[in-house]
Amino acid sequence: MHTDAGLKKMLPANIEIRDYLAGLIKQSRLKQNERLPSERELVEQFKSTRITVRDALSKLESEGLIYRSNRRGWFVSPPRLEYDPSSRVNFYLLAEQQQRTPATELISQKRIKGPQAARTALAVAADEKLIELVRLRSLDGRPVLYEFIYLPESRFPELMKKDLEGSLTTLMQRDYNVEITHEDNRICVSAVYDQVADALSHINGAPCLEIRRIRYEGERKAVEFDIEHWVHSAIELRIPSH
Amino acid sequence: MHTDAGLKKMLPANIEIRDYLAGLIKQSRLKQNERLPSERELVEQFKSTRITVRDALSKLESEGLIYRSNRRGWFVSPPRLEYDPSSRVNFYLLAEQQQRTPATELISQKRIKGPQAARTALAVAADEKLIELVRLRSLDGRPVLYEFIYLPESRFPELMKKDLEGSLTTLMQRDYNVEITHEDNRICVSAVYDQVADALSHINGAPCLEIRRIRYEGERKAVEFDIEHWVHSAIELRIPSH
DNA sequence: CAGTGGTCTAGACCACGAT
DNA sequence: TCGTGGTCTAGACCACTGG
């Protein structure tokens, strides 16, 4: 009979499966964006159950080693995009600097009251509407960022007639003469639900990296409020400080 | 027979349970650090199973609304600590500014070779040893941060005889005349295992916010390399940029 | 259509925390 | 010792993806 008696600590099955798969990935036996064996195949291989296998997979997901694509399977994560929020490099340039292929899809554009957090940040009058842009951004075809952008209508007339899938910073500068002087970023680990989860191919309640940002032109005048939901395994922030 | 026919989308049970508990928390019917009903009580209440209840709980954990304390239960998260890595405010001061009670426990101190990442960052000679400090930091009695600190022995003689539970920045400044000129922070969502998970009362593979930091005195001379594992619901980063 | 992951049922045993 | 969460068994049905 098999026993580990005293040789090494007996590991729970979920950790053994995790370690096995993590090993394959670190040795590059599984390459980036390659699909893992299906959950049921892993059940067979480890003589275990789907609960346990899925537990192992979600641990690997938490670590950022793998990601899921809705009902298609589990895949090996490519390297994280390095992102410095304090630099003014836009998404396209950033991606290309790191040999990745970026894409942006405009999900919706609306004139709305908007969430209270946005109204407060932008200090708009009670009757003024905001423009809400919702965009999905991808790297190499994999969705990685779902963002909500709020702008005061009065500062950006005719905005909704423009091309809103490119760099917003460039557009604001070129067409509205906006120079961002500084910004305030808040970063935390949060979770995605509903439309956000769906768009990012995540399940409801999966963890994400959330960045909330206020951009200013001039000392006090806020002109943009964003909420970004990043697939957590897709990004690493770099914050140099002096 | 009960039906939602057309009135609203039928929600999966895990989401219903999540929404119910999230509601209690947001209405402050459950207060910060208060224990939630046990998993088995929730199973009874919702006529569901532990798998489903735990699924709901881990979603709330991902969002940062609740945290777990190993085999004691689930608790409502207090507000996040706001932390600006670019400021030189130390942990004690930071906590007290936000009306929290900080504590530090030195888990271990060793002279070792250390991980390759630390040796590279600190650019030490092949035969030089590093000092490794492992510390656990708490807020109001709840562990929130498990950190590994690596320092070049040559720069900090006799370090291990000193009080290592206070502010390291202050100690380095006072006893070794170190002035930090700049630093490089890398932030990502990762996962905790083994000793780190245990100390933070987490399960293996739970998500955390990981900060890796290199501190410099002078343009190029690295004097400290840290890896911080934060309980993700305990912290929000603030990054102002100019 | 077959195969995938997403969700769920109805239990079980274990290690550890509080007392 | 009792109650807690941590782990696990052995299935099931569903919605969606891809060919």
Side-chain angles (χ1 to χ4, degrees), chain B residues 8 34 36 64 73 79 94-95 105 112 130 153 185 209 221 240:
Chain B
K8 62 173 183 180
E34 188 173 341
L36 271 62
L94 187 70
E105 180 192 348
I112 55 171
L130 300 180
E153 197 177 25
N185 294 282
L209 190 76
K221 186 163 176 225

Side-chain angles (χ1 to χ4, degrees), chain B residues 12-14 40 48-52 70-72:
Chain B
N14 59 359
R40 285 167 178 84
S48 185
T49 65
R50 273 187 74 207
I51 296 279
T52 305
N70 213 348
R71 289 169 215 274
R72 290 201 311 125

